Amino acid sequence: MERLIPLHHLSLGAFGKVRHLTADGNTRRRMLDLGLICGTRVEALQKSPSGDPIAYEIRGAVIALRSEEASKILVEVL
Amino acid sequence: MSVRQVTRERMEKEMFQINMQHEELLIALAGNPNTGKSTVFNSLTGLNQHTGNWPGKTVTNAQGKYIHKHCKFILVDLPGTYSLFANSVDEEVARDFICSGEPRATVVVTDATCLERNLNLVLQVMEITDNVILCVNLLDEAKRKKIQVDLSTLSKILGVPVIGTNARDGVGLETLKDAIYQVALGNSKNTPLRVSYGDVVEKCIHILEPYLQAIIKDQVKSRWVALRLLDGDSNIEALLVQYPFLRTGETGEISGALEIVDQMLLEDHLERDTLRDHIVTCLVTQAEEITQKVLSYEKQNYNGMDRRIDSILTSPIWGIPVMLTLLGLVFWITIKGANYPSQVLAIGLFWVEERLTHLFLSAGWPDWLHGLLVLGMYRTLAWVISVMLPPMAIFFPLFTLLEDLGYLPRIAFNLDNYFKKACAHGKQALTMCMGFGCNAAGVIACRIIDSPRERLIAIITNNFVPCNGRFPTLIALATIFIAGAMGSWQSVVASVSILAAIVLGVVITLMVSKLLSKTILQGLPSSFALELPPYRKPQLGRIIVRSIYDRTLFVLARAIIVAAPAGMITWAFANIYVGELSVLQHGAKLLEPFANLLGMDGFILMAFILGLPANEIVIPILVMSYMSAGQMIELDSLQTLRALFLANGWTWLTAVCTMLFCLNHFPCGTTLITIKKETQSTKWTLVTFAVTTITGIILCFIVAQSARLLGLV
């Protein structure tokens, strides 16, 4: 469990595997709808000019998440 | 009632309000945002609904009709959604429509290049109804990326017809129509795949189903309602309030069954909180498994090109400069290109005016009639057409090109952090971009924002970006005044000043959003995810046709409809005398001291007020006011316009303040009515009116007074 990092700390070009969502309520449901379930592979693609949000590849789609949301997704670095 | 409820009711009223005749068949069109759903809709119905390459485009509900094999179909375009779990108004509306039982079939449009994510929605729709047709669209994009979709295997797995299309070129649409026909008429029976949720959940569904069948009498939906009872609201009465159209009987003995189910779940350590996770996980996993069976890639990094483009367009160093350059380039091409056709049009139209005048004179018709119709109405129309048509015919195709390529979501991505700092929603950048087209459309687009607080902020501040109606004013003033003396650099300087006006508009949007967040609309930003869709190869021919037809002519027609009577009224005001002065001059005289404080004159302010119905007519009204005051010049080019303004005491400061006020003043009548409709509140409509106008007044006051104090004028 010690190797888990919040998604927005994943370095660009690196892959992570979703292990845990700390969000709840509506935010959690939306994350699940995007396919962010346990085991989903995510790649950090691109930072926006000001560094936040960051675009991730999630199940074939490119989704930008603000750091507030990404910090609630804990991933294992692959 | 909350804003969300109001919106849901309003949207459902719009959508359920279907003027259906006896033999017509209702078909629903569902799909993720940005799958070309609107293109499919347009190709099937021939209706020109505006489509764009960014999420959340279908914000109003479109209906269209078509005939296939002598059968009449009504197609309803549902809002694009990722799921039907009702996290947002759009999802609620789409879900309600599909499960209302009204549509005879539901077509789910999916993106072939992003099938896995799309299948999640397909599986959810299949839980509500058997009559599903899957349309795998954008096959050409998939081919370009060397992705192969095995459609027949997909159809076998899902148990519903799967049709591959390429809607932009009309490929596969006949087959799609055939499939809709077969399913809607019940000629082919689907056997949709049921996602399995594991032993315990299936047992629970099994226990609940018989009771539910007594209440709602539909095999398919009873399973779906059972699932909703498990993952959400365990109170059947409360649930049926949400789905009133499902109920056919009384809820009686089901509460006993629910208790048993609760007990079972408890024993299996599946608490209700985690059940939703469990259900979604099953859906996503199922979608993943299916995708693995039907998709094959030739290249692993099939999105490599998109990544490389994104690494430039959204790069930390180049992102913002490229964005500004692109916009500046669009304006430069517009100004440079519109110059000559504008002159030709003006010469032609004023030649016609002379002929008309001759006609009136030789026929011996009264002077006032000539004034009202020719000098009032015709001249205003001529001005609107010659000054507005050429820039619009160049600007809109260019802007549509950027939109079609998929650039707008990148703008939102680049600017998101600023919106976050203003405590606003990330999608506000998208609704703001929509405002460049038309503020009323931008206000409607705010429906894609779920949080009522952030939605109101987006609505109130939408007017700070110039719309179609105001671009021509800005372009004309920038060209003749700010860049007037620049010689060959004229068009560049004019482009840069319009760009500056837009940047200013965005800055004001952010500042006012922040101010609202800290005062009357307090709260934290709640943004969630922004999708950056794949870049699409634009189709130039279609872009030109569509932007000329949908936008240019639409805006021009609106301008003409408003400008014709406004031209007459203004001429009348300018020629009806009370004492020494005309009605218009009295008005202008009254406004003069205040207007002067803002760096303008009474006539300009008067033109803005009279231009309330549509921003397009502000300059024509102004021109008429000035001309009626004595100087009867032939207005056949921007140079004479400059001369006319100079003769009326304009300086560069007047032009700057007029441009600023143009950018920041009350929304046009259409937009105000739209705000009232969208918020169902007179209060917020008035707040918008006040916020935008006060911003303009403050800004003009500061600029005018500082320039005068510094002795710049």
Side-chain angles (χ1 to χ4, degrees):
Chain A
M1 284 300 276
E2 44 279 305
R3 287 167 58 236
L4 296 190
I5 56 162
L7 183 59
H8 66 296
H9 287 167
L10 188 68
S11 38
L12 294 186
F15 290 88
K17 198 172 235 179
V18 177
R19 282 287 166 231
H20 189 60
L21 302 181
T22 60
D24 52 12
N26 212 6
T27 312
R28 184 185 185 88
R29 288 178 192 181
R30 298 197 149 254
M31 285 175 177
L32 294 170
D33 280 343
L34 289 173
L36 284 166
I37 58 169
C38 241
T40 303
R41 214 173 81 121
V42 178
E43 181 188 359
L45 291 179
Q46 174 87 34
K47 280 186 181 178
S48 92
S50 51
D52 184 34
I54 299 173
Y56 303 93
E57 168 154 349
I58 302 166
R59 296 185 181 270
V62 181
I63 309 283
L65 296 173
R66 286 180 177 174
S67 55
E68 283 79 356
E69 276 82 30
S71 66
K72 291 176 183 154
I73 301 165
L74 301 182
V75 296
E76 174 194 335
V77 184
L78 293 177
Chain B
M1 249 197 309
S2 72
V3 175
R4 179 165 163 166
Q5 268 173 304
V6 168
T7 316
R8 179 178 164 190
E9 275 175 22
R10 187 171 139 68
M11 283 175 79
E12 291 189 347
K13 215 171 98 192
E14 277 170 24
M15 198 152 54
F16 286 92
Q17 225 172 42
I18 296 158
N19 199 358
M20 210 162 52
Q21 278 152 22
H22 201 56
E23 69 280 20
E24 288 174 329
L25 298 170
L26 189 62
I27 310 295
L29 197 65
N32 281 17
N34 203 57
T35 52
K37 191 161 69 71
S38 300
T39 316
V40 172
F41 178 83
N42 289 346
S43 313
L44 286 177
T45 61
L47 196 84
N48 262 289
Q49 191 202 10
H50 188 78
T51 54
N53 188 8
W54 52 276
K57 198 63 194 272
T58 310
V59 282
T60 49
N61 307 295
Q63 297 166 18
K65 297 187 182 191
Y66 71 91
I67 295 174
H68 187 66
K69 292 187 179 167
H70 308 294
C71 217
K72 287 182 189 159
F73 294 89
I74 298 186
L75 199 62
V76 175
D77 195 9
L78 299 177
T81 57
Y82 294 117
S83 111
L84 293 177
F85 281 119
N87 300 321
S88 73
V89 184
D90 278 356
E91 290 175 15
E92 276 175 15
V93 171
R95 177 205 64 191
D96 287 0
F97 193 71
I98 297 170
C99 81
S100 69
E102 297 292 333
R104 295 285 287 268
T106 302
V107 180
V108 189
V109 183
T110 55
D111 177 351
T113 65
C114 192
L115 195 61
E116 184 179 335
R117 229 268 311 283
N118 285 234
L119 278 178
N120 187 2
L121 178 72
V122 179
L123 294 171
Q124 290 184 39
V125 174
M126 279 168 31
E127 282 185 336
I128 302 181
T129 168
D130 279 351
N131 297 338
V132 178
I133 297 122
L134 176 56
C135 164
V136 180
N137 194 27
L138 299 168
L139 281 180
D140 56 336
E141 292 292 324
K143 202 175 160 193
R144 204 163 57 82
K145 292 181 174 173
K146 303 213 176 356
I147 302 171
Q148 295 231 327
V149 189
D150 184 348
L151 297 174
S152 63
T153 307
L154 184 57
S155 177
K156 266 185 215 126
I157 295 173
L158 293 176
V160 301
V162 175
I163 315 294
T165 60
N166 188 3
R168 287 186 294 181
D169 299 327
V171 176
L173 291 172
E174 284 306 308
T175 327
L176 180 61
K177 282 183 187 171
D178 282 341
I180 296 173
Y181 178 88
Q182 298 295 348
V183 172
L185 266 75
N187 293 349
S188 69
K189 206 82 194 102
N190 290 341
T191 46
L193 171 81
R194 296 269 170 264
V195 177
S196 169
Y197 293 106
D199 288 345
V200 182
V201 176
E202 290 299 329
K203 240 183 246 168
C204 294
I205 296 173
H206 196 70
I207 292 173
L208 292 174
E209 266 191 308
Y211 296 97
L212 286 167
Q213 274 162 25
I215 306 168
I216 56 176
K217 293 209 174 73
D218 184 325
Q219 191 82 39
V220 184
K221 282 176 193 144
S222 60
R223 177 184 167 86
W224 182 73
V225 174
L227 277 165
R228 300 294 77 81
L229 276 175
L230 291 173
D231 76 357
D233 209 332
S234 60
N235 179 343
I236 179 76
E237 283 294 340
L239 192 77
L240 283 176
V241 169
Q242 282 190 58
Y243 313 103
F245 35 81
L246 284 180
R247 169 189 290 236
T248 57
E250 282 307 309
T251 55
E253 296 146 42
I254 195 164
S255 50
L258 273 168
E259 272 168 32
I260 299 172
V261 164
D262 268 339
Q263 198 56 42
M264 282 173 65
L265 291 173
L266 209 66
E267 277 166 23
D268 213 67
H269 304 292
L270 270 171
E271 281 159 45
R272 281 184 184 280
D273 303 347
T274 53
L275 208 63
R276 165 88 59 150
D277 279 23
H278 173 74
I279 286 174
V280 178
T281 305
C282 289
L283 282 165
V284 173
T285 316
Q286 180 73 264
E288 187 182 315
E289 278 170 21
I290 297 172
T291 316
Q292 277 165 4
K293 283 181 197 152
V294 300
L295 271 198
S296 51
Y297 316 93
E298 225 168 87
K299 293 193 288 189
Q300 200 54 53
N301 61 338
Y302 57 90
N303 278 329
M305 189 57 139
D306 281 8
R307 304 281 172 277
R308 278 195 293 279
I309 299 173
D310 269 340
S311 69
I312 299 166
L313 292 186
T314 63
S315 98
I317 305 162
W318 296 109
I320 305 267
V322 166
M323 189 173 81
L324 292 176
T325 312
L326 273 175
L327 281 177
L329 201 65
V330 166
F331 293 126
W332 182 76
I333 297 173
T334 305
I335 291 166
K336 196 84 182 153
N339 206 355
Y340 182 70
S342 261
Q343 279 187 20
V344 172
L345 268 175
I347 291 169
L349 289 169
F350 285 103
W351 179 83
V352 175
E353 186 192 309
E354 266 175 51
R355 299 285 89 73
L356 283 174
T357 303
H358 277 300
L359 180 75
F360 271 73
L361 286 178
S362 56
W365 288 327
D367 262 3
W368 63 264
L369 192 66
H370 171 251
L372 215 53
L373 291 180
V374 178
L375 299 182
M377 195 169 84
Y378 181 83
R379 186 172 272 185
T380 311
L381 287 182
W383 203 91
V384 168
I385 293 171
S386 62
V387 173
M388 284 182 61
L389 182 59
M392 283 198 308
I394 300 170
F395 176 75
F396 288 146
L398 290 175
F399 196 76
T400 313
L401 179 71
L402 287 183
E403 205 177 291
D404 235 45
L405 282 165
Y407 187 58
L408 296 195
R410 271 77 189 180
I411 294 185
F413 181 61
N414 283 343
L415 296 179
D416 184 70
N417 203 18
Y418 304 106
F419 281 93
K420 185 169 88 180
K421 287 196 175 126
C423 298
H425 200 284
K427 285 183 189 159
Q428 194 180 326
L430 284 178
T431 61
M432 186 185 76
C433 287
M434 191 79 174
F436 283 122
C438 167
N439 294 126
V443 167
I444 296 176
C446 295
R447 285 178 184 177
I448 60 173
I449 299 173
D450 311 326
S451 132
R453 182 188 78 86
E454 285 152 332
R455 192 165 147 227
L456 274 172
I457 292 178
I459 288 175
I460 294 170
T461 56
N462 192 275
N463 208 53
F464 288 121
V465 291
C467 63
N468 296 327
R470 289 184 282 165
F471 268 121
T473 308
L474 293 176
I475 291 174
L477 291 181
T479 312
I480 62 175
F481 260 94
I482 299 185
M486 297 290 173
S488 56
W489 286 93
Q490 188 171 339
S491 52
V492 175
V493 177
S495 311
V496 170
S497 34
I498 294 165
L499 198 60
I502 285 171
V503 172
L504 181 72
V506 175
V507 171
I508 292 171
T509 302
L510 292 168
M511 281 166 54
V512 174
S513 298
K514 176 100 187 180
L515 191 71
L516 290 170
S517 300
K518 294 293 166 210
T519 54
I520 48 174
L521 287 165
Q522 284 178 2
L524 292 168
S526 76
S527 154
F528 184 57
L530 174 76
E531 185 179 0
L532 302 179
Y535 289 101
R536 303 257 163 83
K537 205 177 105 211
Q539 292 171 310
L540 289 177
R542 263 187 92 94
I543 287 178
I544 292 170
V545 171
R546 230 178 51 210
S547 54
I548 299 278
Y549 181 83
D550 282 358
R551 294 187 153 176
T552 311
L553 293 184
F554 173 79
V555 174
L556 193 71
R558 193 176 94 102
I560 287 173
I561 291 167
V562 183
M568 274 205 288
I569 293 167
T570 314
W571 187 87
F573 280 173
N575 286 277
I576 298 170
Y577 281 78
V578 180
E580 291 281 291
L581 297 170
S582 70
V583 175
L584 198 75
Q585 281 163 326
H586 276 295
K589 207 175 153 192
L590 203 69
L591 292 170
E592 183 67 33
F594 181 62
N596 195 268
L597 282 178
L598 308 183
M600 297 181 282
D601 66 28
F603 286 105
I604 304 175
L605 207 52
M606 187 82 176
F608 277 115
I609 294 169
L610 288 173
L612 179 72
N615 285 302
E616 291 87 340
I617 56 171
V618 169
I619 294 274
I621 290 178
L622 185 58
V623 169
M624 185 155 330
S625 326
Y626 284 152
M627 295 213 295
S628 66
Q631 297 94 339
M632 290 300 291
I633 53 160
E634 284 295 307
L635 198 68
D636 55 5
S637 73
L638 288 180
Q639 282 317 307
T640 44
L641 189 63
R642 180 183 157 84
L644 176 72
F645 285 174
L646 283 175
N648 281 280
W650 277 51
T651 62
W652 65 267
L653 183 64
T654 324
V656 167
C657 287
T658 308
M659 282 176 77
L660 282 176
F661 201 70
C662 176
L663 196 63
N664 307 286
H665 72 289
F666 41 83
C668 73
T670 317
T671 307
L672 285 172
I673 293 168
T674 310
I675 295 172
K676 172 79 177 44
K677 272 191 193 160
E678 289 298 306
T679 58
Q680 290 292 315
S681 144
T682 313
K683 179 186 146 202
W684 290 114
T685 315
L686 291 175
V687 166
T688 313
F689 190 98
V691 165
T692 45
T693 312
I694 291 169
T695 308
I697 290 173
I698 293 174
L699 217 63
C700 288
F701 182 80
I702 293 173
V703 170
Q705 298 310 317
S706 334
R708 281 171 193 160
L709 272 177
L710 296 170
L712 295 175
V713 186

